[in-house]
Amino acid sequence: MHQEIDNMLYQVRHLEQQAPMLAFTDAEVFDAVRLNLYRLASKGLSGFDSPAAHASLPEAAATLESTTQVLSLFNVPPALRAQLARCRAAVAAPGQDFDRFDRARFFVRCFNPALAGLQQAQQQLKIPYVPARRAIRAQAVSYFAANAFEPAYFAPTDAAAPTPAVLALGEALFREPLLSGRAGRSCASCHVPDRAYTDGLRVNLSLQAGAELPRNTPTLLNAGLQTEQFADGRVHFLEDQVHAVVSNKAEMGGKLSEAPVLLRKKATYQKLFAQAFASEAQPISEPNIRRAVAAYVRSLVRLNSRFDQYMRGDTAVLSSQEVLGFNLFMGKAQCGTCHYMPLFNGTVPPLYDKTESEVLGVPGNDLQKLALDADQGKFLLYGIAHQRNAFKTPTVRNVALTAPYMHNGAYQTLEQVLDFYNRGGGQGLGLDVPTQTLAADQLHLNEAEQQAVIAFLKSLNDASASAY
Ligand code: HEC
Ligand code: HEC
């Protein structure tokens, strides 16, 4: 505690000293205000910023107060000030408490209108947007809006632009067994498009005779919207992931360096590559295979579930049970402190510059002999003690379509997953999980509340074929 206070005092003194030298542009101030509102919604109101203390609502009131003060330096329309005041009144209402706060109503009635007002004010005052790259497009009225997220933000600088020709090639390669040499496997063998890009299996079979893959096949829907790939986050870019899986002896057993020779023999690929990479003399190359497949996977953004429609104002699309489930997810059940709204994965808002991993204490798949799963997760990468058994927080979008669950597919149903969390994860089950980061306390969700959370999870389905 003393260390933390010392650190804070240091930061405050440092800021005080620096203050005279710091100059902010109006664009930066508006950017900061917007980022702060996203942070308030995703990390403040979920309880992330105030674990255990549950001071989220008073802290939100303070955030909104300071936002109003900063904006008072500008000649913003009175409507915006009124909207912020309404938000503040909602979180500061007497008798309001963390568990019962109706977040769904707050986001639709206060938060979204305030963000819309902020955008209008910025346009009226002719304040430009910061040129810095952001995961949330500056033009998006809020991060719930259609097309708010910019997949290119998560791409490496040499990524192929997602033109229709590149995506058509990427999709063909995704379904192409030639990438695995003679093994007869394509990406789509395990990431089956009609199954939300999963395979429905606990784990798929290894190419090594009689063996299984160590991990469950995750969905690829929205996989581009994270800074780490795989359950242990061992790869940062989808482009590198393609190489990792093709050359993996258990998964595809191919050689990416040999793929161009095989593909050049096929007239369809001559044509598809020439169209996708028109300016290149020899477009069928190893880097272009990776770039096309990665562009295709990155295009699998699906953020038009009923939940999204609700947040855009169509409040008839969710039942009262689903709304209750959302409020529990974001409050009492603490799910939103790791699965951050609105992507509901571990990529941290509002900057989306890192994807987090956590230790839940997931048991091995033989639930009759309850024991911590043997997979050490992120620890296998660098041997860092606190990363033992840590796994990336995956998205829960489309989770109703992607059973079984967890890195090892140990749980068949969402009921089992809810029961696991309700008991406090591995430690709550009585397992020895020294590094567990999930609070080991019971959540005290009754049966109806658990069902409500599951109903909400089902409202996150959007496996439509429609392009983003
Ligand atoms: C044999 C089955 C199999 C094949 C074939 C396969 N995958 Fe996977 N994929 C998996 C498994 C299992 C994981 C999880 C591995 C892990 O986390 O360590 C995974 C993980 C991924 C991820 C990471 C997703 C995330 O959210 O972390 C991406 C992206 C991906 N695969 C894309 C592809 C592409 C592209 C291809 C074809 C080039 C492909 N996969 C081929 C089984 C497969
Ligand atoms: C401490 C952070 C944390 C909290 C709190 C948390 N989760 Fe998770 N969640 C994770 C991580 C990490 C995983 C991946 C674990 C693994 O692969 O072993 C995960 C996995 C899941 C999965 C399985 C996804 C899949 O595709 O396999 C579901 C469903 C899920 N969580 C739902 C919830 C719900 C509902 C809550 C609230 C009751 C919740 N989570 C709370 C971090 C968290």
Side-chain angles (χ1 to χ4, degrees), residues 333-335 338-339 358 360 362 391 394 405-407 421 438:
Q334 298 170 25
C335 320
C338 294
H339 300 275
E358 302 283 345
L360 305 184
V362 172
F391 293 93
Y405 303 111
M406 305 307 191
H407 66 275
Y421 282 116
L438 174 76

Side-chain angles (χ1 to χ4, degrees), residues 34-69:
R34 189 173 293 107
L35 292 177
N36 199 22
L37 289 176
Y38 290 137
R39 195 200 54 74
L40 162 87
S42 296
K43 295 176 81 184
L45 289 175
S46 67
F48 176 94
D49 284 343
S50 179
H54 284 338
S56 301
L57 296 177
E59 286 184 4
T63 297
L64 289 160
E65 178 87 47
S66 66
T67 303
T68 310
Q69 275 172 21

Side-chain angles (χ1 to χ4, degrees), residues 7-20:
N7 187 25
M8 189 175 77
L9 286 175
Y10 167 79
Q11 301 281 353
V12 169
R13 283 189 207 113
H14 183 71
L15 257 182
E16 271 173 355
Q17 271 177 15
Q18 296 292 311

Side-chain angles (χ1 to χ4, degrees), residues 174 185-187 190-191 204 213 215-220 223 226 229-231 234 238 241-242 245-246 251-252 293 297 392:
F174 188 83
R185 260 185 184 171
S186 74
C187 310
C190 300
H191 302 283
N204 213 311
L213 290 182
R215 294 189 184 143
N216 173 262
T217 307
T219 182
L220 300 186
Q226 22 179 18
Q229 300 295 332
F230 295 125
R234 64 187 180 274
L238 289 169
Q241 183 281 329
V242 175
V245 65
V246 167
E251 290 182 347
M252 288 179 81
V293 175
V297 175
K392 184 182 70 180

Side-chain angles (χ1 to χ4, degrees), residues 115-126:
L115 275 167
L118 185 69
Q119 191 187 50
Q120 238 177 10
Q122 187 164 0
Q123 284 165 0
Q124 275 176 23
L125 296 169
K126 300 204 168 26

Side-chain angles (χ1 to χ4, degrees), residues 25 41 127 189 221 223 244 304 331 377:
T25 63
I127 295 173
S189 311
L221 295 174
N304 192 27

